Amino acid sequence: MSDAWKRLAAEKAVEDVRPGMKLGIGTGSTAEHFVRALGARVREGLDVIGVPTSERTHQLATEEGIRLSTLDEMPELDLTVDGADEIDPQMRLIKGGGGALLREKIVAAASKAMIVIADDSKLVDVLGRFPLPIEVVPFGLGATTLAVRDCLSGLGLSGSLTVRGGDEHPFVTDGGHFILDAELGRIPDADALAEKLVAIPGVVEHGLFIGLAVKAYVAGADGVRTIVASR
């Protein structure tokens, strides 16, 4: 049922799209449902233009007939719609399971608002059950990994820290970077961790999305719930 719930959440988010909007379009299985639903509306005459957050999303949106642009041409967006790997009660997110976290965060930050679409398995009381992706440059990987370990330890966090895809054949992001996945279990102070990670040379970005999402459409057995960020 999870895929059907993702589709319901995505279709609900399309209702928020207005003619003339400049849209950030997310990446991942739930976001793909949004792209298809948006494409159907475009073919019915809805006039929007989108900025995709990954090469995969670019390809799918093109197939759906959605007009696309870039942040260079269109640096301010009205709305971004994207999925999430985890959502906590303060609408803080973990994203990056699909490896597009850097572009996703750049696009979300360029938007007036971000709406999250997900099934209810993504709701958590405390972030951390899903491994936290940390995007890093390949140069100096060993030193960066050590610095990340020290950062986690300094905040009382423990767990495995591995290169996605393995050391021999690491996963490479659209930006040409690697990803370290930190299996932490619980992140009691996500704000502190976010601040410390970006201060590490070699860390490009991390999958903690804080202060970006304003609303979530979360689907489950009882239909689609609307959750608004508490500030």
Side-chain angles (χ1 to χ4, degrees), residues 71-141:
L71 284 182
D72 291 327
E73 299 171 341
M74 208 167 58
E76 295 182 331
L77 306 178
D78 297 303
L79 176 68
T80 284
V81 177
D82 205 348
D85 298 303
E86 285 190 344
I87 309 168
D88 80 358
Q90 288 74 47
M91 205 71 73
R92 295 176 296 195
L93 317 172
I94 285 182
K95 287 180 53 55
L101 64 103
L102 176 59
R103 293 189 184 185
E104 288 172 338
K105 190 173 285 190
I106 292 171
V107 169
S111 304
K112 295 176 183 176
M114 177 186 184
I115 293 177
V116 181
I117 49 177
D119 66 84
D120 60 11
S121 70
K122 304 301 191 294
L123 296 175
V124 296
D125 292 330
V126 179
L127 296 177
R129 182 180 64 194
F130 190 90
L132 174 66
I134 304 166
E135 189 161 345
V136 299
V137 296
F139 177 81
L141 178 62

Side-chain angles (χ1 to χ4, degrees), residues 10 13-14 17 23-26 30-39 81 117:
V14 171
V17 178
L23 297 173
I25 306 176
T30 311
E32 288 185 6
H33 283 295
F34 175 76
V35 174
R36 293 188 178 96
L38 181 63
V81 177
I117 49 177

